[in-house]
Amino acid sequence: MDFRFGMVGHGHITGQFLGAMEVVEGAHVAAVAGRDAGRAGAFAQQNGIAASYGSVDDMLQAEELDAVYVCTPHPSHAEAAIACIDAGVAVLVEKPIAPNLEGATRIVDVAQASGVFAMEAMWTRFLPIYEVVRGWIDDGRIGDVRQITASFGFAAPVMPEHRLFNPDLAGGSLLDVGVYPLHLARWLYGAPPVDYGVVARVGETNVDEIVSISASYPGRGLAQLSSSVVANLESSAVIAGTDGSIEIPVFWAADRAILRAGGQEATEAMPHPANGFEYEIREVVDCVRAGRTESERMPLSLTLEMAGLCDEIRARIGVVYPFETEMGQ
């Protein structure tokens, strides 16, 4: 039976989701919901989606869906996700699952109490090349891992109302792209940092434009992690060990890795059938069909851990979103 996805939101990232859906056998996007019925309808028509709605509730009442992809601005994730969960529909919520731990906990608590599948859309956790990288490390090809260096940054024009710079939309580099290097280090070391220092450039709109983190992990591994929305940063990650290194070009969307050890260099390439989003979509389909309530590879406990870490980092650099002050957080 075909797996029917709904979508809440129709911003830029939906193009990647729809492109990836084309190579996921047995699944398709059946409906889209937005705040404006006219815009949602135009988007549906442009992308060959059969149905469109002006609200999440209207879509849930009219459609029989297997899962919903929530890709609205960060602060509205919880409301949309919880509406779907309350309707018994699985959710894939774009990262970050919520702007802070409070919002993430709300979603997770409702999902776990209802026994409904929920997953944060941290798509890099599912890229096949990382299985190759893990194999090299486990086989001792680079010796003992000592440090990872990873950054993700681009130079966007500073527009106060744009989601990247608007504090009302939880703007800033940390939640938009900083989570990628943080997740990579967490995956590599298998645990959160035991200690870290952080410096940041906070812009005129009071969001973090650049963040730089120096962290230590269990086993004495180190990490240098950076993110930016106002500067073009190197997008490769390097895992350095006592006997060699591994470079992962464009690590957040990686389809190849380079092993350098023993005076030799070897490259492994695993091109994506679409754009890399297809792997997380397949994870949702497989988990829901198997009756699982969360993904083993992207568990809800990890989502909460990372949300808490990002809250702590923001506290250290003095970034507070207006809606958090209003809520008394």
Side-chain angles (χ1 to χ4, degrees), residues 4-11 13-15 17-18 21 29-34 40 43-44 47 49 51 53 55-56 59 65 67-72 84:
R4 293 166 53 86
F5 270 94
M7 291 200 316
V8 180
H10 41 78
I13 200 169
T14 56
F17 188 83
L18 290 169
M21 186 67 73
V29 174
V32 60
F43 178 85
N47 291 279
I49 300 172
Y53 301 90
S55 73
V56 179
M59 180 177 71
L65 301 170
V68 169
Y69 174 50
V70 178
C71 52
T72 56
C84 295

Side-chain angles (χ1 to χ4, degrees), residues 18-32:
L18 290 169
M21 186 67 73
E22 293 179 4
V23 301
V24 180
E25 187 176 352
H28 77 284
V29 174
V32 60

Side-chain angles (χ1 to χ4, degrees), residues 262-286:
Q264 297 183 324
E265 180 176 299
T267 299
E268 184 78 22
M270 302 184 72
H272 305 318
N275 54 35
F277 273 44
E278 57 267 32
Y279 306 112
E280 70 173 2
I281 296 173
R282 287 172 183 159
E283 178 75 1
V284 174
V285 173
D286 291 345

Side-chain angles (χ1 to χ4, degrees), residues 182-254:
L182 282 169
H183 265 274
L184 180 62
R186 173 61 171 82
W187 169 82
L188 176 67
Y189 292 122
V194 295
D195 190 23
Y196 66 91
V198 56
V199 292
R201 167 188 163 127
V202 177
E204 294 182 358
T205 61
N206 295 317
V207 301
D208 54 284
E209 294 180 346
I210 305 176
V211 176
S212 182
I213 300 167
S214 296
S216 61
Y217 289 78
R220 301 176 66 188
L222 301 180
Q224 294 287 338
L225 313 170
S226 302
S227 62
S228 175
V229 291
V230 294
N232 293 308
L233 304 182
E234 173 61 52
S235 61
S236 289
V238 176
I239 303 170
T242 53
D243 298 327
S245 66
I246 298 170
E247 179 184 356
I248 311 170
V250 195
F251 75 93
W252 46 273

Side-chain angles (χ1 to χ4, degrees), residues 48-325:
I49 300 172
S52 63
Y53 301 90
S55 73
V56 179
D57 290 337
D58 287 348
M59 180 177 71
L60 293 171
Q61 290 173 10
E63 300 284 340
E64 291 188 9
L65 301 170
D66 297 292
V68 169
Y69 174 50
V70 178
C71 52
T72 56
H74 309 334
S76 57
H77 284 179
E79 180 182 2
I82 290 172
C84 295
I85 295 167
D86 284 343
V89 180
V91 289
L92 172 66
V93 187
E94 191 48 59
K95 61 82 192 159
I97 196 169
N100 51 34
L101 180 59
E102 186 275 336
T105 301
R106 286 177 57 208
I107 296 172
V108 170
D109 284 351
V110 172
Q112 291 181 331
S114 304
V116 174
F117 178 88
M119 188 180 89
E120 185 177 18
M122 181 51 64
W123 61 293
T124 56
R125 302 285 295 194
F126 303 96
L127 301 178
I129 196 65
Y130 281 103
E131 296 178 17
V132 174
V133 172
R134 176 61 72 188
W136 286 341
I137 294 171
D138 290 347
D139 290 344
R141 300 289 294 275
I142 63 170
D144 297 327
V145 175
R146 292 290 185 249
Q147 179 169 300
I148 181 171
T149 303
S151 60
F152 188 174
F154 52 88
V158 179
M159 296 183 290
E161 297 305 313
H162 191 278
R163 67 172 186 85
L164 290 175
F165 299 97
N166 188 341
D168 291 323
L169 298 180
S173 74
L174 179 66
L175 297 191
D176 195 67
V177 292
V179 290
Y180 288 106
L182 282 169
H183 265 274
L184 180 62
R186 173 61 171 82
W187 169 82
L188 176 67
Y189 292 122
V194 295
D195 190 23
Y196 66 91
V198 56
V199 292
R201 167 188 163 127
V202 177
E204 294 182 358
T205 61
N206 295 317
V207 301
D208 54 284
E209 294 180 346
I210 305 176
V211 176
S212 182
I213 300 167
S214 296
S216 61
Y217 289 78
R220 301 176 66 188
L222 301 180
Q224 294 287 338
L225 313 170
S226 302
S227 62
S228 175
V229 291
V230 294
N232 293 308
L233 304 182
E234 173 61 52
S235 61
S236 289
V238 176
I239 303 170
T242 53
D243 298 327
S245 66
I246 298 170
E247 179 184 356
I248 311 170
V250 195
F251 75 93
W252 46 273
D255 62 1
R256 65 190 180 100
I258 305 164
L259 171 66
R260 298 185 176 98
Q264 297 183 324
E265 180 176 299
T267 299
E268 184 78 22
M270 302 184 72
H272 305 318
N275 54 35
F277 273 44
E278 57 267 32
Y279 306 112
E280 70 173 2
I281 296 173
R282 287 172 183 159
E283 178 75 1
V284 174
V285 173
D286 291 345
C287 286
V288 172
R289 283 179 169 166
R292 303 188 187 100
T293 56
E294 61 182 293
S295 165
E296 291 182 0
R297 297 171 68 184
M298 187 60 207
L300 296 174
S301 59
L302 178 58
T303 286
L304 295 178
E305 176 192 303
M306 296 302 290
L309 177 59
C310 287
D311 276 7
E312 190 178 275
I313 292 170
R314 285 195 298 113
R316 292 197 188 189
I317 62 177
V319 171
V320 179
Y321 305 127
F323 54 82
E324 292 176 313
T325 303

